[in-house]
């Protein structure tokens, strides 16, 4: 173990976390951990050509028994507050990390926040770091198909067995914190808080050299923010999760700016002027260094290539040319520039110090971001995208229009009930010939008939089909895309599945893709 959680005496602690509640004060008072932060200790990795193969274990394969145990653990965790129910506070996660021995302080952290592009940037940073040398832990949310996707080591999701073992190891400590909260406000650790603690613990136990952490929601009071990041990357900020963050874009920006910590380096994607001002004010307040897309770093050239795009990027340490990125869309090029600058900042790169060009090229060429304009099938082409707000849908639509050539494009759209469904439909209408609206397995999914009515208002009744199930919707859309056009052409049809992370995940499962 790289860190040591506080231990309980005797045999009176069971798997549910039951122990003497009087111990909580002693445990919290004794809590501590390695507070080492920053990437300076890893500067030598800049000249390495990849991770030490002896330090990277082979991928574990899940057995039927492992998956059954995973389902049991998920059933337990699903009894906690879901990610859609929030009591904004860091008290619970701080207490949990305290009794665990502050695992999040046993490695430096690169933290990613924003509205859209967080998972893509997090995966790109992870790929760059892994290719350059350090062992990485990656934490993202939500997952597409299986919860183990959220916690990754060395660029791969942890196994079901490791996930279950990590829960079993921290469960007693979760119980301690829950019982302590009974005497305060009665609010126990949420599922997201537990998952965040599991990630921190798994990374410390591996051990990793750096954690790449994506916020779940917001910034200042997001559970991940108990980690004090050496580097903070902020993706474009827009309106989303209004039920929790409100509709004040400047307030949302201030909340997300909370991941910028004293003495850190903040990398900012291109923002509206008023949002940029809020982020810069936070950086000045905490004396953080700042680098901005379009000024200190950015995309110099971009061209469409087979299966993705070719880039020339301006980094903090100079130009990086001939970069192949197997992802579609101008927004992904911007994400790549942000990820590159974040990694440069982590290693202290500057005008006279550049990362190894071949390592950067190799890393970007190997990037995989499931569910982001991901092609899952050919003849007809089926593409899935996890965009779930108008800003994300508009970016996906622009990429499809610019980089795909469909004779006929049919959308399969499923949206959560708390999202701006009309805004998403408005962004998609110009690129879709027809739309099949459907439901999802999530209880939060918008009713297909309600979504259908919104679609009819945008598309007209002759362009809208309603299906209650994703499998039926996919089958219908594929059939529609293969219909003969007025000029007799049958080739060139496509299907775009979009509107929700859950929808993208269900489509991946139905089309035979494994979690990644």
């Amino acid at each position: 173990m790289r860190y040591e959680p506080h231990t309980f005496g005797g045999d009176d602690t069971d798997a549910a976390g039951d122990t003497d509640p009087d111990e909580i004060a002693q445990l919290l008072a004794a809590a501590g951990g390695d507070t080492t932060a920053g990437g300076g200790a890893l500067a030598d990795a800049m000249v390495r050509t990849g991770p030490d193969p002896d330090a990277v274990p082979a991928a574990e394969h899940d057995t039927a028994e492992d998956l059954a145990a995973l389902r049991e653990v998920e059933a337990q965790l699903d009894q906690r507050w879901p990610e859609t129910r929030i009591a904004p506070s860091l008290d619970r996660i701080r207490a949990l990390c305290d009794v665990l021995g502050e695992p999040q302080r046993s490695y430096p952290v690169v933290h990613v926040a924003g509205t859209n592009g967080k998972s893509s940037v997090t995966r790109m940073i992870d790929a760059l770091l892994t290719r350059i040398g350090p062992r990485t832990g990656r934490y993202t949310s939500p997952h597409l198909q299986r919860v183990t996707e959220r916690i990754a080591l060395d660029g791969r999701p942890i196994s079901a067995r490791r996930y279950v073992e990590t829960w079993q190891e921290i469960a007693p400590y979760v119980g301690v914190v829950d019982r302590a909260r009974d005497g305060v406000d009665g609010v126990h650790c949420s599922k997201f808080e537990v998952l965040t603690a599991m990630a921190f613990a798994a990374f410390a136990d591996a051990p990793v050299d750096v954690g790449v952490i994506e916020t779940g929601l917001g910034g200042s009071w997001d559970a991940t923010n108990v980690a004090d990041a050496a580097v903070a990357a902020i993706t474009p900020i827009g309106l989303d999760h209004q039920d929790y963050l409100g509709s004040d874009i400047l307030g949302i920006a201030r909340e997300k700016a909370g991941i910028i910590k004293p003495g850190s380096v903040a990398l900012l994607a291109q923002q509206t002027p008023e949002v940029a001002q809020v982020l810069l004010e936070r950086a000045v307040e905490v004396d953080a260094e700042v680098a901005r897309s379009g000024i200190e770093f950015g995309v110099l050239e971009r061209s469409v290539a087979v299966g993705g795009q070719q880039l020339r990027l301006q980094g903090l340490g100079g130009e990086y040319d001939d970069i192949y990125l197997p992802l579609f869309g101008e927004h992904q090029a911007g994400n790549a520039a942000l990820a590159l600058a974040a990694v440069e900042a982590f290693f202290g790169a500057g005008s006279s110090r550049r990362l190894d060009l071949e390592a950067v090229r190799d890393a970007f060429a190997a990037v995989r971001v499931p569910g982001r304009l991901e092609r899952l099938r050919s003849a007809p082409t089926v593409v899935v995208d996890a965009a779930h707000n108008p800003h994300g849908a508009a970016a996906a639509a622009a990429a499809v229009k610019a980089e795909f050539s469909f004779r006929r494009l049919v959308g399969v759209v499923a949206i959560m009930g708390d999202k701006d469904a009309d805004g998403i439909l408005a962004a998609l209408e110009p690129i879709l010939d027809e739309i099949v609206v459907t439901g999802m397995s999530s209880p939060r999914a918008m009713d297909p008939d309600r979504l259908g009515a919104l679609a009819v208002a945008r598309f007209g009744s002759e362009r809208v089909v309603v299906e209650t199930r994703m499998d039926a919707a996919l089958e219908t859309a594929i059939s529609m895309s293969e219909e003969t056009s007025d000029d007799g052409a049958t080739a060139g049809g496509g299907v775009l599945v979009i509107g929700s992370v859950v929808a993208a995940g269900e489509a991946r499962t139905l089309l035979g893709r494994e979690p990644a």
Side-chain angles (χ1 to χ4, degrees):
M1 296 279 285
R2 184 167 179 169
Y3 80 106
E4 290 293 337
H6 299 293
T7 56
F8 304 117
D11 298 324
D12 54 349
T13 301
D14 62 23
D18 295 331
T19 190
D20 181 356
D22 293 335
E23 292 187 37
I24 184 66
Q26 300 174 17
L27 292 169
L28 293 178
D34 179 3
T35 57
T36 301
L42 296 176
D44 62 331
M46 295 183 67
V47 298
R48 292 164 64 181
T49 58
D52 179 358
D54 294 331
V56 181
E60 298 180 57
H61 298 287
D62 296 326
T63 66
E65 292 78 9
D66 294 334
L67 294 175
L70 176 65
R71 287 191 292 271
E72 290 181 7
V73 169
E74 281 300 278
Q76 293 179 46
L77 295 180
D78 284 341
Q79 296 177 34
R80 295 180 174 274
W81 276 15
E83 288 157 285
T84 54
R85 187 177 181 187
I86 298 168
S89 171
L90 294 182
D91 292 345
R92 295 174 301 278
I93 186 65
R94 279 180 178 147
L96 181 52
C97 287
D98 281 347
V99 297
L100 286 173
E102 298 277 1
Q104 80 281 10
R105 299 193 185 282
S106 61
Y107 41 82
V109 167
V110 178
H111 209 171
V112 183
T115 300
N116 289 301
K118 297 193 303 293
S119 291
S120 295
V121 170
T122 300
R123 283 178 174 263
M124 291 177 188
I125 292 172
D126 187 23
L128 284 163
L129 289 169
T130 298
R131 182 63 186 84
I132 292 169
R135 287 204 68 192
T136 62
R138 183 186 74 224
Y139 182 52
T140 56
S141 62
H143 59 278
L144 287 173
Q145 294 165 272
R146 188 178 298 163
V147 69
T148 51
E149 299 167 28
R150 298 188 180 210
I151 304 174
L153 295 170
D154 306 307
R156 297 190 298 257
I158 63 172
S159 66
R161 175 180 295 182
R162 193 162 195 171
Y163 182 94
V164 170
E165 290 173 347
T166 302
W167 160 244
Q168 291 171 340
E169 289 171 359
I170 79 164
Y173 306 95
V174 176
V176 166
V177 175
D178 285 347
R179 290 151 62 91
R181 300 308 299 180
D182 286 337
V184 181
D185 56 11
V187 179
H188 290 182
C189 294
S190 69
K191 182 176 181 180
F192 183 72
E193 289 165 342
V194 171
L195 292 179
T196 300
M198 287 173 61
F200 289 155
F203 298 162
D205 192 44
V208 303
D209 298 311
V210 54
V212 188
I213 311 294
E214 175 190 353
T215 58
L217 182 66
S220 294
W221 48 258
D222 186 79
T224 63
N225 206 33
V226 294
D228 292 324
V231 175
I234 311 288
T235 70
I237 293 174
L239 291 177
D240 195 14
H241 302 293
Q242 287 99 316
D243 289 351
Y244 314 111
L245 300 178
S247 57
D248 174 14
I249 189 67
L250 300 187
I252 292 172
R254 279 188 287 271
E255 171 60 30
K256 295 181 185 294
I259 72 164
I260 303 174
K261 298 297 180 65
S264 66
V265 181
L267 293 309
L268 311 182
Q270 290 191 333
Q271 311 283 352
T272 61
E274 60 271 21
V275 166
Q277 181 65 30
V278 169
L279 299 178
L280 291 172
E281 288 173 356
R282 169 65 181 179
V284 170
E285 176 188 345
V286 299
D287 194 27
E289 296 184 48
V290 175
R292 297 152 293 177
S293 178
I295 302 177
E296 286 82 13
F297 67 91
V299 180
L300 296 176
E301 291 181 7
R302 171 181 173 272
S303 60
V304 176
V306 176
Q309 52 192 307
Q310 205 74 22
L311 305 174
R312 183 163 67 93
L313 302 177
Q314 175 64 53
L316 303 179
E319 291 187 12
Y320 298 78
D321 63 358
D322 198 23
I323 303 296
Y324 174 69
L325 182 68
L327 301 172
F328 298 99
E330 184 178 5
H331 60 294
Q332 292 291 17
N335 288 338
L338 178 62
L340 175 63
V343 174
E344 287 183 301
F346 179 79
F347 287 121
S351 58
S352 60
R353 196 177 190 193
R354 189 180 71 169
L355 300 178
D356 181 79
L357 178 58
E358 288 305 316
V360 171
R361 287 171 175 165
D362 290 348
F364 276 123
V367 166
R368 298 293 180 269
V369 186
R372 274 66 179 183
L373 287 180
E374 180 185 19
R375 189 194 301 263
L376 297 182
R377 170 181 163 159
S378 300
T381 297
V382 177
V383 176
V384 300
D385 194 88
H388 53 275
N389 55 46
H391 183 274
V400 168
K401 183 177 180 180
E403 300 176 30
F404 291 84
S405 298
F406 292 115
R407 170 187 57 81
R408 183 181 195 181
L409 182 61
V410 181
V412 173
V413 180
I415 301 173
M416 293 298 183
D418 57 350
K419 296 296 183 179
D420 180 2
D422 188 59
I424 293 172
L425 293 171
L428 297 175
E429 191 277 332
I431 66 164
L432 298 180
D433 294 285
E434 293 167 295
I435 181 173
V436 181
V437 301
T438 188
M440 298 173 284
S441 58
S442 171
R444 294 172 50 222
M446 181 175 290
D447 177 77
D449 289 331
R450 178 186 167 202
L451 183 56
L454 293 173
V456 167
R458 282 284 175 188
F459 287 75
S461 59
E462 70 282 356
R463 296 168 63 194
V464 178
V465 175
V466 177
E467 295 281 4
T468 58
R469 293 164 49 98
M470 178 61 72
D471 54 355
L474 268 175
E475 184 177 348
T476 297
I478 289 172
S479 176
M480 292 166 63
S481 71
E482 292 176 321
E483 291 177 2
T484 303
S485 64
D486 293 340
D487 60 5
T490 57
V495 173
L496 173 65
V497 183
I498 195 169
S500 167
V501 173
V502 174
E506 290 188 4
R508 288 189 100 251
T509 299
L510 288 166
L511 293 173
R513 294 301 178 97
E514 289 296 316

